[in-house]
Amino acid sequence: MGRQVLGGMSTPRDTRQGTWRWWICGLLLCASTINYMDRQTLANAAVRITKQFQLSNEQYGNLEMGFGWAFAVGSLVFGFLADAISVRWVYPAVLLLWSVVGFATGLVESYSGLLICRTLLGFFEAGHWPCAIKTTLKLLEPKDRSMGNSVLQSGTSIGAIITPLLMRFLLTDELDSWRFAFQLVGLIGLVWIVAWFYLVRSGDLDDTPKTATASESQASLLALRNALVSRKMFAVLIVIALINTSWQILRAWLPKFLQEGRGFTERAALDFNSLFYIATDVGCLAAGFLTLWLVKRGWSVHGSRIGVFGCCAALTALTTLVAILPKGWALGATLLCVGAGLLGLFPIYHALTQDISPAHQGKVTGIASVAAWLFAPPAQKLFGWMVDKTGSYDLGLVIAGWLPVLALLALVVLWRSNPTVDATNPSRPS
């Protein structure tokens, strides 16, 4: 099979290239969907589980903290593995492992068992992002990556949309009827693995490690070191730490906020949760389309990314209004805007990481994810503590909503656009 170079990476060159690479992006979307279905089953059953195991909000925060810190470790481990071993094999392996742990969660009989399963789930789910981001890097040109990453990221919303609907169908009056949902979602991953091996053939991603000479290895290590100590990497670390903390707080606490903070019934909260994630999906895809549209209108690649990131950050800051709004249509509409803005940040972030060091994309993604998950877990615990102490979710939501604004400031101050990337749109200087 002949090959051509796109954005410094090798990709297949045959008649299926145009449609095939977007089919793969669609498969990545499905992986993100499964990833978030496994993750969101806990949030959607949070009230039942805290009652059954008699947990405080701080203990519930501990479950999220265990997940998050394990995710940080897993990000580093699988980030290096994604660069050392063919993604064709690493990706389905981690998906199988997190699916098994998700299934096992439905069998636990104690808080400690739940904590162990949640921690292992975080570790194995971390492998998804280094593998997926490296795949889009190899498939797409720089100008298409925000769009490709939007497709990939939108799967998180789809998973979060489907999960409440599934939970509503499966939950009964029995308190522990949440268990079967964990088991069912765990089995879905097996179907994805079959589809992956059908669509991705040996050599398609051209990522099998090759033996390097001593000088090539030294040059590669030097390039990695320079990338990791660069201003861009520092900017990426700050951005992902802030936006991921904001996202994880909304993801984990929204169902409890709706039920315990604003008086929603369980069914109404599940229905709104699905609607919320439809809004996040719209925001995610809109961010990708808008960056591509701005580039075609003459904006630089980096300028389009900053502009869209700023719009999304402004929407997330609307949590200030959420804190003062009572139950009603205005509260719902504002939360939908917040959700759309929040997930729209992530395709831009992923595209920025792909500009740092393409040869070490897995490591860059993994190391950045460590930063993301070092801050989010203690923030979850702190959020739960604040709720226990104040009896209100409002202040925590306000703080979470303003974190992306701080991320935007860091990005503007620290990032310098890449002439190589912006050369894809030479009509306007960066």
Side-chain angles (χ1 to χ4, degrees):
M1 180 187 298
R3 295 189 177 275
Q4 69 178 35
V5 175
L6 291 178
M9 307 304 294
S10 177
T11 60
R13 182 176 62 189
D14 57 20
T15 55
R16 65 180 185 145
Q17 180 188 351
T19 57
W20 172 78
R21 55 183 178 159
W22 290 106
W23 274 106
I24 299 300
C25 287
L27 194 58
L28 301 181
L29 177 151
C30 293
S32 296
T33 299
I34 297 168
N35 186 285
Y36 256 68
M37 289 181 72
D38 275 306
R39 189 179 308 187
Q40 282 299 100
T41 42
L42 179 68
N44 284 283
V47 174
R48 286 173 176 258
I49 290 173
T50 53
K51 285 181 179 179
Q52 181 167 357
F53 293 106
Q54 297 182 333
L55 307 180
S56 67
N57 282 302
E58 186 174 355
Q59 286 178 305
Y60 175 71
N62 286 340
L63 296 176
E64 292 294 341
M65 184 170 65
F67 176 94
W69 278 346
F71 201 103
V73 175
S75 296
L76 196 59
V77 171
F78 293 113
F80 277 78
L81 285 177
D83 285 336
I85 305 172
S86 172
V87 171
R88 183 172 183 263
W89 294 105
V90 177
Y91 208 169
V94 295
L95 197 143
L96 174 63
L97 289 169
W98 91 55
S99 296
V100 169
V101 173
F103 183 93
T105 305
L107 303 175
V108 299
E109 296 292 343
S110 66
Y111 170 63
S112 59
L114 189 61
L115 183 59
I116 290 170
C117 282
R118 199 66 184 170
T119 301
L120 289 174
L121 182 70
F123 179 79
F124 292 124
E125 279 199 358
H128 168 61
W129 295 105
C131 293
I133 298 301
K134 185 166 184 177
T135 301
T136 60
L137 172 70
K138 289 178 172 294
L139 289 175
L140 305 173
E141 298 179 32
K143 66 182 179 64
D144 294 324
R145 286 176 190 159
S146 290
M147 186 66 247
N149 292 333
S150 289
V151 174
L152 158 66
Q153 186 76 52
S154 69
T156 63
S157 293
I158 294 173
I161 292 165
I162 294 173
T163 305
L165 300 177
L166 180 67
M167 298 291 283
R168 181 172 178 178
F169 176 75
L170 295 176
L171 292 176
T172 68
D173 291 337
E174 295 183 16
L175 189 60
D176 68 348
S177 57
W178 54 269
R179 295 178 181 277
F180 182 64
F182 282 82
Q183 296 165 351
L184 179 61
V185 173
L187 293 173
I188 294 174
L190 300 179
V191 179
W192 186 92
I193 294 171
V194 173
W196 172 262
F197 283 117
Y198 176 76
L199 285 175
V200 182
R201 306 167 191 167
S202 179
D204 273 345
L205 299 177
D206 194 30
D207 65 340
T208 302
K210 299 176 177 62
T211 302
T213 65
S215 60
E216 288 173 337
S217 297
Q218 185 176 5
S220 178
L221 289 174
L222 180 61
L224 176 61
R225 189 201 69 178
N226 290 339
L228 295 182
V229 299
S230 66
R231 288 164 59 97
K232 289 184 177 181
M233 188 67 188
F234 188 42
V236 159
L237 295 177
I238 294 174
V239 167
I240 189 54
L242 292 170
I243 67 173
N244 187 61
T245 298
S246 183
W247 169 256
Q248 296 305 328
I249 287 174
L250 266 293
R251 176 195 62 78
W253 294 94
L254 180 61
K256 286 176 72 66
F257 164 72
L258 294 173
Q259 293 177 65
E260 299 175 349
R262 290 297 186 270
F264 281 60
T265 65
E266 182 181 61
R267 283 184 172 267
L270 290 172
D271 287 342
F272 183 82
N273 219 31
S274 289
L275 188 61
F276 177 81
Y277 286 108
I278 290 173
T280 65
D281 202 34
V282 170
C284 182
L285 291 172
F289 279 115
L290 185 55
T291 52
L292 192 58
W293 181 79
L294 289 174
V295 167
K296 291 180 178 179
R297 298 285 293 181
W299 287 49
S300 69
V301 171
H302 184 68
S304 69
R305 292 172 180 172
I306 292 293
V308 174
F309 195 100
C311 292
C312 291
L315 290 175
T316 67
L318 292 176
T319 53
T320 304
L321 295 179
V322 171
I324 61 176
L325 288 171
K327 179 182 177 182
W329 69 266
L331 173 66
T334 305
L335 280 171
L336 296 182
C337 291
V338 170
L342 192 49
L343 201 63
L345 298 166
F346 284 85
I348 310 302
Y349 154 73
H350 291 311
L352 293 171
T353 69
Q354 290 168 326
D355 287 352
I356 293 176
S357 180
H360 299 283
Q361 182 62 53
K363 300 180 187 70
V364 170
T365 302
I367 292 169
S369 293
V370 171
W373 288 95
L374 282 178
F375 290 95
Q380 298 279 21
K381 183 178 178 69
L382 177 61
F383 191 99
W385 177 84
M386 290 173 61
V387 174
D388 285 337
K389 291 296 182 182
T390 66
S392 172
Y393 295 82
D394 297 340
L395 178 59
L397 289 178
V398 171
I399 295 172
W402 278 87
L403 295 181
V405 177
L406 297 179
L408 173 64
L409 293 176
L411 195 55
V412 170
V413 171
L414 294 173
W415 193 274
R416 296 291 181 268
S417 61
N418 189 338
T420 301
V421 173
D422 286 317
T424 61
N425 183 38
S427 60
R428 179 167 177 162
S430 60

